[in-house]
Amino acid sequence: QVQLVESGGGLVQPGGSLRLSCAASGFTLDYYAIGWFRQAPGKEREGISCISNMYGSTSYADSVKGRFTTSRDNAKNTVYLQMDNLKPEDTAVYFCAAQHGMYSSCRLFIDTYDYWGQGTQVTVSS
C-alpha cells in the first residue's frame, strides 16, 4: 500500500523550531520529487518547499525562504522539513506529497503531485 505519513507537528512558541518528517511506505522515494504544502483555516493549500530526486535541488516559497530547510534521506525513505524562527502565520496543516519521475529541479504545482500524506498540524502561538 502506497502511503506517505507526516509527523513532527505540534504547538511551538514564536521563534521556535520544529522538524517535520515525511515517511514513505509501499514505494521508494528515489523515484519521486517531494513537495511540502500547507493549508491554514479558510485559505487555499499553498506550496512552500520541494526537493528534487536527481540532485537534491530545493525550492522555497518567499514566505519561508531563509527559515525552512528541506532535506531527504533516501536510505530511510524519508524527507524532512526543518522549520526555524516560526511565526504565528506559519500555523497550518502541513502536507507532504510525492511526484513520480526523475527531476533535476522541482516545482510546487499542486496538481502534478501523485501521492499525499494526511497532514500534521503546526500551531505557532504564545
Side-chain angles (χ1 to χ4, degrees):
Q1 181 181 1
V2 172
Q3 198 172 11
L4 286 171
V5 178
E6 303 95 337
S7 61
L11 173 64
V12 63
Q13 292 186 341
S17 297
L18 283 174
R19 188 177 81 156
L20 304 184
S21 298
C22 172
S25 60
F27 66 105
T28 175
L29 289 181
D30 292 30
Y31 302 106
Y32 292 81
I34 301 298
W36 285 98
F37 299 80
R38 67 185 181 186
Q39 189 165 18
K43 295 189 176 181
E44 292 187 353
R45 190 169 299 189
E46 63 169 338
I48 57 171
S49 178
C50 60
I51 185 165
S52 73
N53 51 344
M54 287 183 66
Y55 307 121
S57 301
T58 55
S59 181
Y60 300 94
D62 288 344
S63 57
V64 305
K65 198 172 294 183
R67 301 187 298 122
F68 290 12
T69 304
T70 295
S71 61
R72 61 192 299 152
D73 186 339
N74 286 352
K76 295 183 177 180
N77 221 26
T78 300
V79 174
Y80 304 97
L81 181 67
Q82 177 67 39
M83 306 187 295
D84 297 319
N85 191 22
L86 282 160
K87 304 175 181 181
E89 52 264 42
D90 294 318
T91 295
V93 178
Y94 283 69
F95 301 88
C96 63
Q99 183 181 39
H100 185 257
M102 297 304 294
Y103 298 96
S104 58
S105 62
C106 61
R107 297 291 185 268
L108 289 166
F109 300 122
I110 289 178
D111 292 343
T112 64
Y113 283 79
D114 302 295
Y115 303 120
W116 289 80
Q118 82 291 346
T120 185
Q121 176 70 46
V122 171
T123 302
V124 185
S125 174
S126 54

